[in-house]
Amino acid sequence: MKPETVKKESKEIWTSRIGKKTQTGEKTIGKENKVMRKSKPIASILCAAILAVSALSACSSAVSENAQETSSQAESADFGEEGAGANDAQEREKSQEEKEAENAADSAGDASAGKNQPFTLTSREYAEAMGHGWNLGNSFDGVDTDESKEDKGETEWGNPAVTRELIHAIKEQGFDSIRIPMTFFKRYTVEDGNYVADEEWLVRYKEVVDWAVEEGLYVMVNIHHDSWIWLKYWDGDKESDEYLRFVQLWEQLADYLKDEPEQVCFETINEPDFEGESDEEKQEKLDAINLAAYDVIRASGGNNAERMIVIPTMNTNHEKSEPLLKLIQELDDRHIIATVHYYGEWVFSANLGITGFDEAMDDDGKTARTAADSAMETVYQTFIQNDIGVVIGEYGVLGYDQGEKCNQPGEELKYYEYVNELAAKYGLCLMFWDNGSGIDRVSGNYNWKKPQVGEMLKASMEGRSSYATELDTLYFAEEAEEDVPVALTLNGNTFSGIEGLTEGEEYSYDESTATVTINKDYINKLYAESSKEGRFGELVFTFSSGADWTEKLVRFGTPEFKEASGTTEGLTVPADYHGTDIRRISAFSGEKHTGPQSSWWKYLQNSEAFDVKEDALVLNNSFFNECAEGEIKLVIEFFDGQTKEVWLTKNGNKVSVKPE
């Protein structure tokens, strides 16, 4: 997609913190783009369009007066309420015809209706309005770093081109905001020492931003993988290539989107990190980068004088919040939001053997749940209590796209439920990271690939959900000898029943202890009907509010592993799991742990050191690279309580496995 007309002109920007003049090629697109703050009912739009003809001059006058007032506010350092009050008075004086004419102009795509608007939301109000968000991951941020290869743009990492229907589906799923990560690398040229962003890339990116605006979504514009591709190598000198490149690209991006409405915010950089130096020196670099983007945005005209700017901590880590607080307070700007990312505790989120959300991670009793408490309390005390809004720009579990054999499905759902509860408690915006593994972008139906995840996320936008206190799976090696209790964590809801079953017959419920007891005769009936090992039944628990909870019934036997030999590049060990599931694996050389992270941790990482297949256990090259020579003992634990030992011999690059 190309602009109809392109005008190039020289532009000088001077900012006190950048401390130098930079020459950039500014590109102004002749065709005005449609800007809408909200979707309007069709009837109102038609009515307003008819009235617009007679009221056009009055509308133009009102827009002009409003622009002058906003420009005056932007020049002032006082962010008090006086200007807002004057604007309210002006609004009350407008006739109904004038207001409807303005709406018609907005709906017809008059870009001037979006310019120089008064931005009324404070940092905290804005973050709360962003509510529940979604990341358009692995699309505009996807890039092949091999510069010899042709750039495939937004389809580079396997996702299809973004459609308007996808953006509409995000709104229909209940999300309030969307983060659109974008990588500039390979999407610019160098002209006379200046970095000039690709015009078609900006046009296409803006098209998707505008689709989101028209859906009524808040939009976070984001420079993404440039952070680790080239910016992390900046040496701290403001004359260096990386700094100048960052400034020039932000100059063009800010200018190109300067007339977007208030619901579009700019995030300076994704997950910043820098090589080498001490933490203090890295932080100085980040401060300089954040200030450079801030000053460029504020100086770029249009609505950018008051646009909300989102600034990250180092590595977007909540534990590194204090330096960002200091920077924001020094700027004294109510239109700044702080951002961190939250993927939970690594040993749970990526599954290094800790599979339960409430499972103790070490001797101190800390769990993934209490770690979430601590993280959200940190950003609340650091930023929210200082009137600074917070966006959790990415959250999820690190094993999400590794399949259901990585994170335990029910425990993953508990994580989503609780983190959303904490966000509601503290007034934070949460933005789910989706690289294409979440919502199905390929088939065109835009449904969740993991339906229970979608149901839990949607329910969590409205309130709390209930679930089984223990695992979401009941394992049976033989027929049940007794009735089976399932304790519930209700989170303020009440238990309604089990789909298709009758209370007093197939199950009973003790309200005082919130315990459902499944009749053994019902379980044994299902057990007898299925002679195969594996899942033989599902119980769908329903509640007064929130998502349903599915409790699975599984028939299992003793897992078996067979002999195998191969190389350290990777070894596939044939296995028959007989219906059960691996919980975790530890590796020993003698009495000591061996393998990745063994210097500080006791379990191997699922989907990194090993992969669980339907009929095999795969030991990966990353495991062999860091495990000892000689005889290795693998201790494999299963969710049903069984433990198996598998003996491995490593001799140079040759490996073999002999089961217990």
Side-chain angles (χ1 to χ4, degrees):
M1 174 185 259
K2 294 183 179 179
E4 292 181 356
T5 59
V6 178
K7 176 183 177 184
K8 293 186 178 181
E9 57 187 38
S10 176
K11 178 180 179 182
E12 282 192 350
I13 293 182
W14 173 266
T15 57
S16 59
R17 295 186 183 87
I18 295 174
K20 69 186 298 295
K21 294 181 181 179
T22 60
Q23 296 286 336
T24 66
E26 179 187 0
K27 295 172 178 56
T28 305
I29 306 302
K31 181 181 179 181
E32 296 290 353
N33 287 281
K34 181 178 179 182
V35 177
M36 297 177 64
R37 293 196 62 182
K38 295 180 180 178
S39 298
K40 298 179 175 63
I42 294 176
S44 298
I45 293 173
L46 292 174
C47 180
I50 295 171
L51 292 170
V53 176
S54 62
L56 186 58
S57 61
C59 173
S60 300
S61 174
V63 170
S64 176
E65 291 174 9
N66 192 38
Q68 292 174 5
E69 178 182 352
T70 305
S71 176
S72 174
Q73 289 177 344
E75 293 172 1
S76 172
D78 181 9
F79 292 101
E81 298 299 323
E82 183 177 350
N87 190 61
D88 290 344
Q90 181 188 41
E91 185 69 22
R92 285 194 296 270
E93 291 173 2
K94 292 179 183 178
S95 69
Q96 183 64 28
E97 284 190 349
E98 288 174 328
K99 293 178 182 178
E100 291 176 339
E102 288 179 359
N103 287 340
D106 184 35
S107 299
D110 183 357
S112 66
K115 294 180 180 178
N116 301 315
Q117 354 173 287
F119 284 12
T120 59
L121 295 179
T122 65
S123 173
R124 286 181 59 179
E125 291 169 343
Y126 196 101
E128 290 180 9
M130 289 178 73
H132 297 85
W134 180 83
N135 274 268
L136 182 60
N138 286 23
S139 286
F140 286 98
D141 57 311
V143 66
D144 190 330
T145 56
D146 185 345
E147 295 190 75
S148 68
K149 294 183 179 179
E150 181 183 359
D151 181 29
K152 297 178 183 177
E154 63 195 277
T155 66
E156 185 70 62
W157 284 355
N159 283 316
V162 179
T163 64
R164 181 187 286 269
E165 288 75 22
L166 169 63
I167 305 304
H168 177 71
I170 298 309
K171 180 67 175 180
E172 290 296 298
Q173 290 280 1
F175 289 105
D176 306 298
S177 55
I178 184 171
R179 183 172 180 251
I180 309 181
M182 186 262 280
T183 298
F184 266 120
F185 184 70
K186 293 177 74 169
R187 284 97 192 222
Y188 53 69
T189 57
V190 183
E191 301 177 10
D192 298 326
N194 292 317
Y195 290 88
V196 181
D198 182 86
E199 296 165 6
E200 292 187 19
W201 183 248
L202 288 177
V203 168
R204 171 61 176 155
Y205 184 74
K206 185 178 188 302
E207 178 179 46
V208 176
V209 168
D210 288 341
W211 288 344
V213 168
E214 291 168 13
E215 289 291 342
L217 293 164
Y218 282 81
V219 184
M220 188 186 297
V221 169
N222 165 272
I223 294 182
H224 208 75
H225 293 302
D226 300 277
S227 62
W228 62 265
I229 295 174
W230 52 268
L231 185 59
K232 76 175 294 182
Y233 304 108
W234 179 43
D235 62 6
D237 185 346
K238 293 183 180 180
E239 300 292 333
S240 295
D241 171 83
E242 291 83 6
Y243 184 83
L244 297 178
R245 191 186 328 184
F246 181 75
V247 169
Q248 290 174 6
L249 292 173
W250 253 120
E251 285 173 348
Q252 294 166 83
L253 182 61
D255 179 72
Y256 197 72
L257 299 178
K258 65 185 179 184
D259 294 328
E260 293 291 338
E262 183 176 15
Q263 72 203 69
V264 177
C265 60
F266 294 165
E267 180 183 8
T268 58
I269 191 67
N270 173 69
E271 296 183 351
D273 189 20
F274 298 95
E275 278 213 324
E277 308 87 359
S278 65
D279 289 344
E280 291 74 16
E281 289 172 312
K282 289 182 180 181
Q283 186 62 51
E284 288 176 4
K285 288 183 180 181
L286 177 57
D287 288 346
I289 287 298
N290 280 332
L291 288 171
Y294 173 85
D295 286 337
V296 164
I297 293 165
R298 286 289 179 254
S300 57
N303 288 325
N304 290 344
E306 290 190 290
R307 185 174 308 286
M308 200 63 67
I309 299 176
V310 183
I311 302 180
T313 64
M314 182 65 73
N315 312 117
T316 50
N317 186 339
H318 65 276
E319 295 177 345
K320 301 179 180 181
S321 295
E322 286 296 333
L324 179 57
L325 172 65
K326 182 175 182 291
L327 179 70
I328 295 175
Q329 288 179 327
E330 288 174 352
L331 287 171
D332 192 24
D333 184 338
R334 73 173 183 173
H335 292 144
I336 297 178
I337 286 174
T339 186
V340 301
H341 294 173
Y342 190 69
Y343 285 98
E345 286 295 297
W346 185 36
V347 295
F348 166 77
S349 183
N351 189 356
L352 279 75
I354 301 300
T355 54
F357 188 52
D358 294 295
E359 180 181 356
M361 294 183 290
D362 221 327
D363 295 337
D364 61 3
K366 183 179 180 182
T367 68
R369 186 187 297 272
T370 60
D373 286 329
S374 177
M376 300 306 152
E377 178 71 18
T378 294
V379 295
Y380 173 76
Q381 291 183 351
T382 305
F383 298 114
I384 302 292
Q385 288 195 329
N386 284 293
D387 289 325
I388 299 166
V390 174
V391 171
I392 311 298
E394 295 178 17
Y395 87 103
V397 292
L398 294 170
Y400 184 85
D401 56 354
Q402 302 300 319
E404 289 194 7
K405 297 296 184 181
C406 185
N407 299 107
Q408 206 287 331
E411 300 304 296
E412 181 182 341
L413 295 178
K414 294 176 185 179
Y415 164 86
Y416 298 137
E417 196 281 333
Y418 192 64
V419 173
N420 274 273
E421 163 61 14
L422 291 175
K425 174 182 176 181
Y426 291 124
L428 314 173
C429 167
L430 275 181
M431 308 193 86
F432 182 79
W433 175 256
D434 188 346
N435 63 8
S437 298
I439 291 176
D440 182 358
R441 307 181 200 174
V442 176
S443 68
N445 61 26
Y446 305 118
N447 293 327
W448 286 88
K449 293 181 178 179
K450 298 180 182 180
Q452 288 183 324
V453 170
E455 291 165 9
M456 180 59 78
L457 292 178
K458 190 167 186 177
S460 297
M461 296 176 191
E462 304 296 330
R464 301 212 64 178
S465 291
S466 308
Y467 42 76
T469 306
E470 302 298 331
L471 207 60
D472 69 347
T473 307
L474 301 172
Y475 288 94
F476 298 89
E478 56 188 16
E479 290 188 350
E481 295 182 356
E482 298 178 345
D483 296 343
V484 178
V486 179
L488 301 178
T489 298
L490 293 173
N491 294 324
N493 300 322
T494 57
F495 172 69
S496 298
I498 301 177
E499 286 187 358
L501 304 189
T502 302
E503 185 175 1
E505 294 182 11
E506 292 92 353
Y507 73 94
S508 61
Y509 179 62
D510 185 337
E511 185 175 357
S512 65
T513 61
T515 300
V516 175
T517 300
I518 313 300
N519 188 299
K520 66 178 181 180
D521 293 336
Y522 174 71
I523 294 174
N524 292 338
K525 174 179 175 293
L526 296 179
Y527 187 91
E529 289 174 352
S530 177
S531 59
K532 294 182 178 180
E533 292 167 326
R535 190 177 304 183
F536 67 87
E538 289 186 347
L539 306 175
V540 179
F541 293 23
T542 62
F543 305 90
S544 58
S545 184
D548 295 341
W549 178 260
T550 300
E551 194 76 8
K552 298 175 281 290
L553 309 179
V554 170
R555 179 178 187 154
F556 75 96
T558 302
E560 299 176 82
F561 296 91
K562 299 179 181 179
E563 292 187 9
S565 60
T567 73
T568 55
E569 289 303 306
L571 180 66
T572 297
V573 183
D576 188 340
Y577 294 107
H578 289 285
T580 191
D581 297 290
I582 290 179
R583 179 182 180 186
R584 57 193 176 203
I585 301 176
S586 50
F588 294 87
S589 174
E591 298 298 320
K592 294 183 178 180
H593 288 283
T594 188
Q597 292 95 39
S598 59
S599 62
W600 63 273
W601 192 243
K602 51 195 172 183
Y603 302 118
L604 301 179
Q605 182 175 346
N606 191 314
S607 302
E608 176 64 25
F610 67 91
D611 286 291
V612 180
K613 305 298 184 182
E614 290 298 323
D615 58 357
L617 172 65
V618 179
L619 299 172
N620 296 324
N621 176 250
S622 59
F623 167 68
F624 291 118
N625 280 345
E626 299 187 48
C627 80
E629 288 282 315
E631 195 170 57
I632 307 298
K633 181 175 69 172
L634 300 179
V635 179
I636 305 174
E637 300 177 50
F638 296 84
F639 280 106
D640 61 76
Q642 295 183 86
T643 298
K644 291 283 288 186
E645 291 184 358
V646 173
W647 291 90
L648 162 74
T649 301
K650 177 185 175 186
N651 184 7
N653 72 336
K654 302 294 184 182
V655 291
S656 60
V657 163
K658 185 176 182 180
E660 182 182 24

